[in-house]
Amino acid sequence: MGKREQYVVWTLSGLLGLMFVLTGSMKLINADQTAIQFSIWDYQDWFVYVIGVVELICGGLLMVPGAAIFAGASLSIVMIGAVITLTIHHDPVGATVPIAFLILLAIIMRMRIMRKQLKPKLGDRYGH
């Protein structure tokens, strides 16, 4: 992976990670208000905390190379749930945001996986 690709993956990871940290934090800070919206979608109040914590923690982990793929996969599951929820409740326009985030998460994870596969092993570097 070249320098440009590294900048892209770090920039995307940073911006998307920050977005998830902020949205997760807001869900936890405004849990009562968020729970009202979640109840409209037939989710229990405790689910707000689960989603908020996953977004908060995994948003931060997007910037950690060894954890970024796990974080991206976890956030992808949350975004798939958001797309399904919004679609079922007849909000296809609202579903475009989590779809966009899913695409960005897929790009980040793919670039991280490619980088991991292209990294030479220590023994390869010295001809062993």
Side-chain angles (χ1 to χ4, degrees):
M1 182 184 311
K3 285 282 186 198
R4 186 184 335 172
E5 290 86 1
Q6 288 179 359
Y7 291 136
V8 169
V9 76
W10 279 104
T11 301
L12 281 177
S13 296
L15 292 174
L16 203 56
L18 179 61
M19 188 283 311
F20 279 112
V21 166
L22 291 174
T23 58
S25 298
M26 293 309 296
K27 279 180 180 72
L28 297 173
I29 291 169
N30 299 317
D32 293 338
Q33 292 297 325
T34 308
I36 293 169
Q37 182 63 49
F38 274 47
S39 69
I40 292 170
W41 295 327
D42 299 323
Y43 291 113
Q44 300 294 317
D45 291 350
W46 58 266
F47 201 61
V48 171
Y49 296 101
V50 172
I51 299 299
V53 167
V54 169
E55 287 181 353
L56 180 65
I57 292 172
C58 291
L61 289 176
L62 274 179
M63 290 297 292
V64 179
I69 295 169
F70 166 79
S74 300
L75 290 167
S76 294
I77 292 168
V78 171
M79 291 298 100
I80 290 168
V83 170
I84 292 169
T85 297
L86 292 167
T87 303
I88 287 172
H89 292 278
H90 309 290
D91 189 3
V93 174
T96 59
V97 173
I99 289 170
F101 291 148
L102 267 169
I103 293 167
L104 293 173
L105 286 165
I107 291 168
I108 290 169
M109 288 190 302
R110 178 66 183 138
M111 292 178 84
R112 295 276 189 186
I113 290 168
M114 283 176 34
R115 184 164 189 232
K116 206 176 217 182
Q117 290 172 347
L118 294 176
K119 241 184 206 177
K121 297 194 177 17
L122 187 59
D124 293 343
R125 194 175 293 166
Y126 298 103
H128 297 138

